[in-house]
Amino acid sequence: MAGITGIFSKSKLPKMDTYILGVFITLCVVSVVESYSASSREIATSGSIIAPTLKHIFLLGLGSLVMLIVSRIHYNKILIPSIFFSIVTVICLLYSMFFSSNINGAQRVIHLPGFTLQPAEMAKIAVVFVLAFLLALFIDRKEGRVQSKGVYWCVFIVSGFGLLLIMNGMTNTLLFMCTSVAMMIIGGTQAKKFFKIFALYAVVGLALMWVKSCINENNLDDLDKQSVVEQTTENDSKRAELRDKVWTARIATYFSRFSSPLYEEEIKVGENDQEIYSHMAQANGGVIGVMPGNSRECSRLPLAFSDYVFAIVVEDLGFVGGTALILLYFSLLIRAGNVARNCNRAYPAFLVMGMAVMIVLQAFFHTAIVTGVFPVSGQQLPLISRGGTAIILTGLAFGVMLSVSRFGPEDVKSSKTNTSLPENMRAANPTFDSRGSIGK
């Protein structure tokens, strides 16, 4: 009880970075507006145009509460809970592989009383926690660079999480790989080691794609055997769904666009309707958009409120608004970099940059998929897309960044708080700027 009271006490705390807080608030405001604009398809199921938006606002409130609580906790005290959180995430991922159900055709969820839990969203935060721990643990204090065994441990962890998420598609695994590479760069990893890292990740990626294809083929065989005994429409839909989930097939479809443009294709429900309606929405938005609430395609675009919400953003706010949103995400990365440079220890620097890189890369993947730059794959837009687990965990990520921004620069002035970290995790931050780069 005393710990909870301490979190909400009025005792003077160092100031947190107001720019990062401003990005969080701005994204929440945009999220509410676009959630309302993209809710047309849900009216038929909910019976109310306002109910889905109210639920979304409630979840944003929970995410904001998590952000505020975590931002008041010293990042050193996050170490043990983060390890526990990562262990729970692995358990949930293992459980979801065998006992969970699917939503949107791919995302595996665990049903709990009153809500659903998405282990894939938990994994995004857990990966950053584990990588920050390992990279800080294996920094050579003399050279100020991550040791080779630290790099190999990171590759092993990313590969393990990728294997646990194999039935959710390969996008999350690619996201983990890119985040780990970015964090290794921050850790001063030598350039020559990246050739080994890329080679290892290439092997891991091909191996995971092969395993996923084998699993889908085995499931297809099981369905074919079952259909001999019982011919049902459900079996036919499951068989088609499994074929569509093969990642290599999506890659082939993506490259076929170069010879057969998407706008020349006939709209087929369940095959290409999401892509076509998404591009129609973006084209309808033009330069300045049709303004929120006037979206034409939100009533036809499947998953307009989640996996394809950026298409509605562009339709509402146009090319200008869509570009501004992308720049807002990238400004978060720049600001996090400034915060990291003000930390004299490696661990908080890895934490703040890892969380920022994960959020920004996820936003980049989402926009790239929606605009057709990347092959089709489910990836939410942080804080903008609907989703309980994703919003709350994004709030957690922002809370960690704000905690580092609050206490990291203070630790430079006094080494007293640094003693709460284990001795072998007190390595100096390779990017530390003793002059202080953040303007107050």
Side-chain angles (χ1 to χ4, degrees), residues 281-290 310 313-327:
Q282 295 169 70
N284 187 43
V287 178
I288 60 174
V290 297
F310 186 71
V313 171
V314 174
E315 186 177 17
D316 285 349
L317 305 177
F319 173 80
V320 174
T323 302
L325 183 61
I326 294 173
L327 292 177

Side-chain angles (χ1 to χ4, degrees), residues 27 52 58 101 137 148 182 192 195 197 257 262 287 344 350 358 364 381 387 397 426 437:
L27 289 175
F58 172 74
S101 57
L137 189 66
S148 295
K192 60 183 181 182
F195 292 105
I197 294 171
R257 302 290 185 228
L262 188 63
V287 178
N344 62 347
F350 286 133
M358 181 64 75
F364 171 73
L381 187 60
R426 298 180 196 170
S437 57

Side-chain angles (χ1 to χ4, degrees), residues 88-103 106-111 117-123 161 163-168:
V88 172
T89 299
V90 171
I91 295 173
C92 290
L93 288 171
L94 287 170
Y95 179 87
S96 68
M97 289 183 70
F98 303 101
F99 304 107
S100 66
S101 57
N102 289 359
I103 59 172
Q107 191 81 355
R108 293 197 168 248
V109 300
I110 298 175
H111 291 280
L117 186 67
Q118 298 181 19
E121 298 300 324
M122 296 174 63
F161 274 100
L163 181 61
L164 293 174
L165 284 169
I166 193 168
M167 296 311 297
N168 286 70

Side-chain angles (χ1 to χ4, degrees), residues 103-107 118 120-121 124 168-173 175 247 250 274 303 306-308 362 365-366 369-370 375-381 385:
I103 59 172
N104 300 338
Q107 191 81 355
Q118 298 181 19
E121 298 300 324
K124 294 171 185 176
N168 286 70
M170 295 294 295
T171 312
N172 285 327
T173 302
L175 182 63
W247 213 68
R250 286 182 171 179
Q274 292 190 110
L303 305 178
S306 57
D307 290 355
Y308 281 84
Q362 185 178 346
F365 278 26
H366 174 93
I369 291 167
V370 171
V376 175
S377 181
Q379 197 63 243
Q380 294 186 334
L381 187 60
S385 297

Side-chain angles (χ1 to χ4, degrees), residues 10-21:
K10 295 183 179 180
S11 59
K12 190 173 182 180
L13 292 172
K15 293 182 179 180
M16 59 184 170
D17 189 86
T18 54
Y19 188 92
I20 295 177
L21 179 62

Side-chain angles (χ1 to χ4, degrees), residues 131-152:
L131 293 182
F133 171 79
L134 290 173
L135 290 172
L137 189 66
F138 290 108
I139 280 190
D140 190 312
R141 298 200 177 189
K142 293 182 179 180
E143 297 184 2
R145 297 183 179 186
V146 177
Q147 301 173 7
S148 295
K149 57 184 177 181
V151 172
Y152 295 139

